[in-house]
Amino acid sequence: MPSSEILSIKELSELLHLSTGTINNRLSAQRKAIESGKDANLYQVQRLAPPSIKLGRFRLFKRDTVEQWLARFEGVKM
């Protein structure tokens, strides 16, 4: 697979072995934390979900960015 592959929430959930509901809950918690005034660069906010973009009603993730995110938080209880 090319490293610039784009993943949907469903594909991300399969990669991370989490349900799509869990992914959506983490994205929601991350968004709420940022909206409540927390810095988006805080460790606690960044570890909730990998960086993504919203395109219309779809949330998309770059595979290489997800892999970097996983490496950064390897061994951290999520």
Side-chain angles (χ1 to χ4, degrees), residues 12-44:
L12 179 67
S13 72
E14 291 169 1
L15 177 70
L16 298 179
H17 302 283
L18 297 171
S19 72
T20 56
T22 298
I23 301 291
N24 283 318
N25 288 342
R26 287 173 173 262
L27 287 166
S28 179
Q30 190 178 54
R31 180 184 49 81
K32 287 177 183 176
I34 292 168
E35 287 176 352
S36 72
K38 289 191 178 176
D39 183 4
N41 294 316
L42 280 177
Y43 178 82
Q44 292 84 359

Side-chain angles (χ1 to χ4, degrees), residues 16-75:
L16 298 179
H17 302 283
L18 297 171
S19 72
T20 56
T22 298
I23 301 291
N24 283 318
N25 288 342
R26 287 173 173 262
L27 287 166
S28 179
Q30 190 178 54
R31 180 184 49 81
K32 287 177 183 176
I34 292 168
E35 287 176 352
S36 72
K38 289 191 178 176
D39 183 4
N41 294 316
L42 280 177
Y43 178 82
Q44 292 84 359
V45 174
Q46 287 186 350
R47 75 184 180 113
L48 289 171
S52 63
I53 60 166
K54 187 157 184 168
L55 188 59
R57 62 186 182 105
F58 298 101
R59 181 67 63 175
L60 303 173
F61 306 83
K62 283 181 64 178
R63 184 180 184 90
D64 58 346
T65 303
V66 171
E67 290 171 354
Q68 291 170 3
W69 177 80
L70 284 170
R72 179 172 181 212
F73 296 105
E74 184 176 356

